[in-house]
């Protein structure tokens, strides 16, 4: 393997630049060249790419977003689009491709590999942490920290006004962010897409809180819980007559300087992805499980569900007494 | 003057604790006692108060929210409610009262003073910076910083995806936060309640941006601009066909560790408020103008409008080229 | 088990309050009472303790330092001192003790257990991450983040002035913080107590950097590396003639709001410690390995050495090309 | 005026990039071109310069350090060096020069102007805030915030261990940072170069603190106070027998994302500098006093001393009771 490509795709996640940097530098270390492809698969389709050396990624490890940019690509959903992308890879003499992104991106990589025999390695870059085959995804730790900082600020106001805040955090299909934020933020309750918990159960939580003398409450709701924070707020209002404040944190959770855990994970996975290509591995995502680098077939990363931690969920309940 | 009271009222603002601390310590320095009244005027009505010594406010200068709590008080809008509050002040032997809050709180203080001859001094504590008679209000600097940090994060995503973000910041009647955030955040445009700017003007801004090669845009909208961020987003979509992302930052802007400027302002104003009571001054707000402590009759603080800086507004326009 | 005690001991670490909170609330959940002992073993010797309920630990999860205080105790090194402590535990009807701290604290707990049959559970609270039996210690993640934020700031200056910075981070006997900070901070080299690396090797690193066109360099040195940052700085100056700036981060690494990972770890371990006492376990530290709660005899926690990650060390080298 | 130059010089300060951006965009707005000169006067001597357009400074407003780099220049101290620089300015058709830096940089600009008739405008960029003619310098607010965040962290440890911390902050000749940090950090005492306060006076402060029941103390010392933090620490130890911890914050105070106040100040001053050149003004520093743009002859900026605020100094003393 002489030359590899790298792209970021899907929603941006903090630490993507650290992963790109690791890919470039690990490849350099192994004597390989790296081509950076801009705007994900859309840029691959359009041939928007250029060589990246180790100095090109200097001082990027701490940057949020992605210097390679990212974009949606409708054309990539078509065999013609992917054929055009494969053609660009051949033209540039690219032997393998590192795709940094989430499950949608891995689908795109999978088809490219299947249809055109391109060697691909996926690197999990998404704040949602919803990929099977890795304990954590790049960006997840930073998203949790950003959401937690917001919850800390809201608690100042909640405590001062003795109010109830219902806070919606990101996670369309997964409650990982919500659960971590609930435990770390000392929330009174958490609503997850993974749990079949009726929204009205919040009424007991609030009544119980009031009885215990809690003057304020923070309720965390994952974006993917049916109805989101608005539904929980409505249930509280209807069931207790108490007013709530709703806060939907939104896109701020995607940005910002990545925290150390995301940078370290990105560094490890970026390096491992290049090593995997050098070892002629393809069609897998590189992840880290229990501290060990592990490979999972791309199809499994989206087909199998990564469960939330039952222990942590129980812990959240216990400590909200 | 032997004993004074202090309360926080209205929306909480970062730095309120620094102001309470300054009141307690400045009073101690002058040989006066301080009674802390909880939950604002509601607590004064209910007689929820206790003596505060210098050690009671140790390690509070950096805390968000207010350790004295704050609450709405319907009963305080009635003469009977205020009479009851005045009775509690007499019972406790309180000769003067420091009220930390915004214009609603100053109304409450004004009536108490008019009806019962209680000596009152207002200290401007509100993130909105909308009080006449002081260049800045306590909490304002921190709110700007919090909003700016969010804008920086959104810019990471905006730049990575080449997207337009419309960000709504607090300020129901005033655009001070919005203007500062727009300049400091390098925003492409800002919509303020003070400016009679049609929402459709954003269409030209975006078209101009695109023409100049800007791949992403951040538009700041003050809460008090008619229709808020949603109206601006709609105008962009209808006028350019481009998609936008809306982010309404909300209550996180109220919380958090106060930045140095808020702590210093709170320290100066809290001290000056006590000195004013010691000097038999009453019925005024203590503020800081051009670095100098200044007093303004309470009625003027809400009757007169504090203008936004025309120079800064022009600067925002110039630098968004 | 009806009533347990909890104390924090040794150097303070961010997340200790989250651990105390978890102990109190998990005990409440199991119907046990908790006595908070102030100033560590010194306070136990002096009988400085009081009951703690779930509301006493409200709003403490985000606080740095330890609300129970901590102190050195010379008297605890004597059998008489420990006998006095054991007497206080009996007087208060305390059946088991949770000790949050590092290896020195675990020694103290071990002797108390051996000599007086007191049931003890250790909870690893130290920023150094140098305890065998747990992947991470409480406070470690925050210390890394604080040091990393400082390195990011120094890099701004290093890059602007094209300078070499030598940064010393905490870790008297262990290089965990240094290694993580080096990888996450994109450092050019890292010196650890665990590695037998001559200080003069830095000369080649700097010469190599200059040759590659790196205009600035950051070198991370663990406190426990012989000679620390000063020795490395001297070696650079003597071997290359280049000037360096030295930054010794020091105690700031101990403080601050704990990051989510520390709060979550503290919550899990505090809960597990209480459960262990309820299950009649004693003489062990509760840790988390590969996400699973695990117990290690107290003597092993200090007798066996926790190795740094070889993979991560290699990764640091690879990515600094 | 058709084309102007801009450079950053001396120690880097957060907000320098915001100033460069403002210069570039304000010039564009007025139809002028901008040449960015790298590495300050050294780069001007070497002719290291290129045209900068509005897009070149996109997404730089939030960056620490300076994208134009900065360097010491021995050759600039010689008439020959400056003649060479003037020659490069003529070659490039540059009619005026904006110099962003501190008093050393303004000296360099002054000589260039005197000897070669080059029109120069100074923009105050230094964390020390020690330039006469402007209430604040660009970078000052961020440096205070960084130092304050460190003090907050140290207080966590100080309070947990009931210890005394002596913290040295930057300011070789000026105590502005120290005074602000002392007030905002709630320090027990502050030592400034401007005050003729014997180091032994700290003994009374500590004894008084202990008597009042303060368990921990934070003492702030400006770098420029004779002997710095070490001298104060020694005095405490010798006069009270108590141990202290010393923390010298150092270069971290130079780096980091600029806070809003520095970005806004930089935006205003950068714009005003360009306008001044367009108005044929030269030989002055542009500053902001009481919110108003003001010009001061360059020689006055270093010849006259900017005093610290006596009111704030008194306030610091009063509130440390």
């Amino acid at each position: 393997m002489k030359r590899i490509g790298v792209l970021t795709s899907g929603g941006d996640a903090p630490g993507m630049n650290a992963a790109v940097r690791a890919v470039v530098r690990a490849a350099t270390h192994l004597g390989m060249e790296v081509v950076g492809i801009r705007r994900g698969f859309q840029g691959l389709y359009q041939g928007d790419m250029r060589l990246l050396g180790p100095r090109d990624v200097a001082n990027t490890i701490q940057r949020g977003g992605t210097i390679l940019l990212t974009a949606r690509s409708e054309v990539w959903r078509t065999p013609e689009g992917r054929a055009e992308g494969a053609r660009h890879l051949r033209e540039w003499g690219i032997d393998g491709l590192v795709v940094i992104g989430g499950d949608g991106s891995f689908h795109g990589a999978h088809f490219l590999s299947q249809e055109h025999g391109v060697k691909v390695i996926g690197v999990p870059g998404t704040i949602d942490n919803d990929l099977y085959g890795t304990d954590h995804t790049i960006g997840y730790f930073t998203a949790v920290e950003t959401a937690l900082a917001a919850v800390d600020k809201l608690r100042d106001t909640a405590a001062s006004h003795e109010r109830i805040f219902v806070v919606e955090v990101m996670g369309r299909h997964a409650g990982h962010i919500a659960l971590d934020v609930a435990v770390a933020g000392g929330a009174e309750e958490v609503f997850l897409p993974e749990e079949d918990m009726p929204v009205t159960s919040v009424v007991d939580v609030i009544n119980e809180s009031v009885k215990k003398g809690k003057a304020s409450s923070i309720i965390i709701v994952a974006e993917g819980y049916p109805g989101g924070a608005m539904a929980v707020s409505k249930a509280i209002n209807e069931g207790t007559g108490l007013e709530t404040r709703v806060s939907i944190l939104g896109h701020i959770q995607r940005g910002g300087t990545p925290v150390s855990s995301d940078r370290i994970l990105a560094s490890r996975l970026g390096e491992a992805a290049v090593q995997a290509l050098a070892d002629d591995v393809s069609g897998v995502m590189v992840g880290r499980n229990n501290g060990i680098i592990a490979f999972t077939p791309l199809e499994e990363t989206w087909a199998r569900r990564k469960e939330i931690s039952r222990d942590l969920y129980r812990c959240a309940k216990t400590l909200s007494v």
Side-chain angles (χ1 to χ4, degrees), chain A:
Chain A
M1 192 134 316
K2 291 288 166 46
R3 186 182 268 190
I4 63 174
V6 60
L7 59 80
T8 54
S9 170
D12 64 312
M16 279 186 161
N17 287 328
V20 172
R21 170 184 178 271
V23 167
V24 171
R25 296 201 165 179
T28 304
H29 185 77
L30 295 176
M32 291 152 59
E33 285 182 324
V34 179
V35 175
I37 300 156
R38 286 165 35 112
R39 293 188 183 76
F41 292 115
Q42 184 64 20
L44 181 50
Y45 167 75
Q46 296 171 330
D48 185 3
M49 48 226 279
R50 67 178 185 87
L51 278 172
L52 286 181
R55 291 293 76 71
D56 293 318
V57 291
N59 286 328
T60 63
I61 197 172
Q62 80 278 20
R63 297 262 170 83
T66 161
I67 57 170
L68 290 180
L69 306 180
T70 178
R72 281 194 223 152
S73 178
E74 287 306 315
V75 74
W76 198 258
R77 295 168 184 277
T78 68
E80 295 73 26
R82 295 189 292 264
E84 180 72 3
R87 196 173 64 75
H88 287 300
L89 290 174
R90 282 192 305 274
E91 278 177 4
W92 279 76
I94 293 172
D95 307 310
L97 182 65
V98 178
V99 173
I100 304 167
D103 64 347
S105 312
F106 291 175
H107 272 90
H110 178 68
F111 285 122
L112 179 69
S113 173
Q114 296 280 310
E115 295 167 3
H116 301 280
V118 176
K119 291 190 194 308
V120 296
I121 298 285
V123 171
T126 164
I127 64 167
D128 283 355
N129 197 26
D130 59 352
L131 291 168
Y132 180 85
T134 189
D135 286 345
H136 302 102
T137 54
I138 298 164
Y140 171 66
F141 293 103
T142 305
V144 168
E145 215 60 43
T146 298
L148 180 59
V151 167
D152 282 353
K153 285 185 208 294
L154 294 173
R155 189 172 283 286
D156 285 340
T157 289
S160 298
H161 288 267
E162 305 184 320
R163 270 183 187 157
I164 303 165
F165 267 87
V166 183
V167 185
E168 184 175 306
V169 301
M170 280 196 161
R172 257 170 308 171
H173 308 293
H176 299 282
I177 294 177
L179 181 52
D180 270 13
V181 169
V183 173
E188 272 63 32
E189 184 59 280
V190 57
F191 287 86
L192 308 175
E194 288 89 348
E195 296 296 307
D196 193 21
M197 197 161 78
V199 70
T200 48
S201 68
V202 74
V203 176
D204 288 343
V205 171
I206 296 295
N207 285 336
E208 199 59 35
S209 275
V210 171
K211 210 184 297 169
K212 285 173 192 158
K214 290 194 185 188
S216 65
S217 290
I218 301 269
I219 312 289
I220 306 293
V221 185
E223 188 185 4
Y225 179 79
M230 296 310 296
V232 173
S233 171
K234 190 156 165 278
I236 293 172
N237 187 248
E238 292 178 359
T240 69
L242 295 170
E243 255 188 286
T244 68
R245 292 287 184 283
V246 171
S247 185
I248 298 173
L249 297 182
H251 278 80
I252 58 168
Q253 293 164 89
R254 288 202 177 285
T257 294
V259 300
S260 62
S261 301
D262 277 324
R263 299 193 207 178
I264 292 171
L265 180 62
S267 297
R268 291 291 312 280
L269 297 187
E271 185 201 27
V274 172
Q275 188 61 56
L277 283 178
D279 294 343
D280 229 29
V281 176
S282 177
V284 299
M285 178 190 81
V286 58
R288 190 181 62 183
N289 291 318
N290 292 336
I292 307 292
I293 297 297
F295 299 99
T296 304
L298 285 175
E299 310 94 293
E300 283 190 34
T301 65
W302 65 74
R304 298 178 64 172
R305 187 181 181 101
K306 180 156 74 180
E307 300 298 332
I308 58 161
S309 162
R310 306 308 312 172
D311 284 338
L312 193 58
Y313 186 64
R314 191 190 33 66
C315 184
K317 300 279 181 185
T318 300
L319 301 190
S320 65
V321 298

